[in-house]
Amino acid sequence: MERKTISFPKDFLWGASTSAYQVEGAWNEDGKGLSVIDVGKTPEGVTDFKVASDHYHRYKEDVALFAEMGLKAYRFSISWTRIFPEGAGRLNEKGIEFYDKLINELKAHNIEPIVTIYHFDLPYELQKKGGWANRETIEAYENYARTLFKYFGDRVKYWLTINEQNMVVMYGAVLGMIEAKSDNPKKELYQQNHHMFLAQAKAIKLCHEMCPGAKIGPAPNIAYVYPASSKPEDVLAAQNFSSIRNWLYLDLPVFGRYNSVAWSYMERENCVPDIEEGDMNIIKEAKPDFIAFNYYSTATVAWDDGTSSSNSTGDQQIVIGEPGFYKGVANPHLEKTQFGWEIDPLGFRITLRELHDRYNLPLLVTENGLGAYDKLEEGDVVNDDYRIEYLRKHIEQAKIAISEGVNLIGYCPWSAIDLVSTHQGISKRYGFIYVNRDEFDLKDLRRIKKKSFYWYKNVIAINGEEL
Ligand code: BG6
């Protein structure tokens, strides 16, 4: 049998990612309204998001650097409250103007914009009226999406609906969301979840109507779940966790149904959402064009006999557990980052293969990367070999996955440039470009190319032929 050559497609979208509130700064400038992030509490010892990397004022310099790195795509999010300061109603022209300029700058440098419509920063005015628990937020999101398609749809070909809806539901408090206050907070969460599915479906439908030729998809955080052992109970626990963490968030947009394990979990937990007549049809009719997903690590779980503590203290990649359903355990075969996240490049390939087999849609990686305490050395040098190592191993596995038939259309690591982490400040750096600031000292915010910048530039230049 002929051996398949292992290589990336010619038009592969080599990119990098950011999100608005983590990179832009200018939190109260040019008419921007408050988001839940702006009013949320920052954990002790870490910076807030007010200045971040000051990308709002330095986007031209940043895009020039992205172009120098050879990026074919740049994945960023639009700040909802720059466009609609109150989330709905009054449009802020200045907000449109900023993203117009950013998109034009990217296009002028031949960088494909990949736009996330909503990345954690829900308008505070909507939150005050119940946020995603209120069905009016669906309409507000739909109108916001319509506005983006109207103004930017002529230039943006790739749209992402909601960043990590699954993490918002599971670890919302850690990610800066405002916690549900009802008598049954879990039911409220799954109600919010259902409304997000509806909002997403409406945006998908609108995008197809308004922007022919554009593509749109969901962007959950996907982590393949390993059972701690071959004990059937552990395998059951892995299935449980995977169903509510991963597949729930793709089964809805792709198949238009709640999977049965997730459904029975919601029944067990007394948190089945109220579903109005017609809701499931709206969800079923909207078909995503691709699946975008963020991957940092796999998860490993064991059976839980009912004694484990609940999940709320975990984060995107640290699983605690839910009594009687699954319990997060360390994987003894994996190393960890300085921030305790397991590193699993082979798990990346396993995740890619699983997604391909389950959903049979093109895949786009919208986040993957290593958060570390980088050190700026004499002469403006950052020797982030550990990041290169992490990315190299993941790209290697992506390449093999492609040779195994996975339809992977792009890879956008987190992050294009240093930015403020969701809950661990600016010291947890991910970027190819160093931003000269500390948690509480803004210094000069100058941009410095890290060693990984030059490495990734070469990878892109040779289309990943050698890694
Ligand atoms: C993802 C988010 O969960 O992980 C990003 O989409 C986030 O917004 C990234 O920054 C890395 O997580 P953290 O907590 O290290 O910033």
Side-chain angles (χ1 to χ4, degrees), residues 61-71 109 111 433 449 453-454 456-458 460-461:
E61 181 189 349
D62 292 344
V63 172
L65 284 165
F66 300 163
E68 186 186 332
M69 204 173 10
L71 292 193
H109 286 88
I111 300 174
I433 300 163
K449 295 170 224 167
F453 177 102
Y454 298 102
Y456 193 44
K457 179 182 163 127
N458 183 54
I460 299 174

Side-chain angles (χ1 to χ4, degrees), residues 49-107:
F49 299 92
K50 292 192 163 77
V51 177
S53 307
D54 198 32
H55 174 72
Y56 188 77
H57 298 116
R58 297 168 195 243
Y59 74 92
K60 276 197 180 186
E61 181 189 349
D62 292 344
V63 172
L65 284 165
F66 300 163
E68 186 186 332
M69 204 173 10
L71 292 193
K72 307 260 189 257
Y74 172 53
R75 180 248 180 172
F76 62 97
S77 77
I78 290 185
S79 154
W80 189 336
T81 55
R82 280 198 202 286
I83 308 293
F84 289 105
E86 288 86 28
R90 186 174 59 92
L91 179 83
N92 177 34
E93 293 291 344
K94 285 269 185 196
I96 300 283
E97 221 174 85
F98 172 68
Y99 294 107
D100 235 351
K101 288 191 293 191
L102 174 61
I103 291 166
N104 289 344
E105 196 69 17
L106 291 165
K107 296 292 262 189

Side-chain angles (χ1 to χ4, degrees), residues 215-261:
K215 295 183 190 316
I216 184 162
N221 174 313
I222 301 296
Y224 191 87
V225 182
Y226 300 137
S229 76
S230 53
K231 206 163 98 189
E233 286 84 349
D234 290 346
V235 178
L236 203 65
Q239 238 178 22
N240 283 345
F241 186 50
S242 205
S243 295
I244 63 160
R245 185 206 191 279
N246 296 321
W247 314 137
L248 169 60
Y249 297 88
L250 291 171
D251 289 348
L252 264 288
V254 180
F255 302 134
R257 60 168 162 75
Y258 280 91
N259 71 58
S260 53
V261 177

Side-chain angles (χ1 to χ4, degrees), residues 19 21-22 119-120 163-164 167 175 221 294 296 316 341 367 414 419-424 428 430:
S19 90
Y21 79 93
Q22 294 176 273
H119 190 127
F120 299 162
N163 180 68
E164 296 194 352
M167 299 298 98
L175 296 169
N221 174 313
N294 301 343
Y296 288 90
Q316 302 101 300
W341 289 9
E367 287 182 33
W414 188 262
L419 40 68
V420 183
S421 135
T422 56
H423 60 293
Q424 287 161 310
K428 188 185 193 185
Y430 284 89

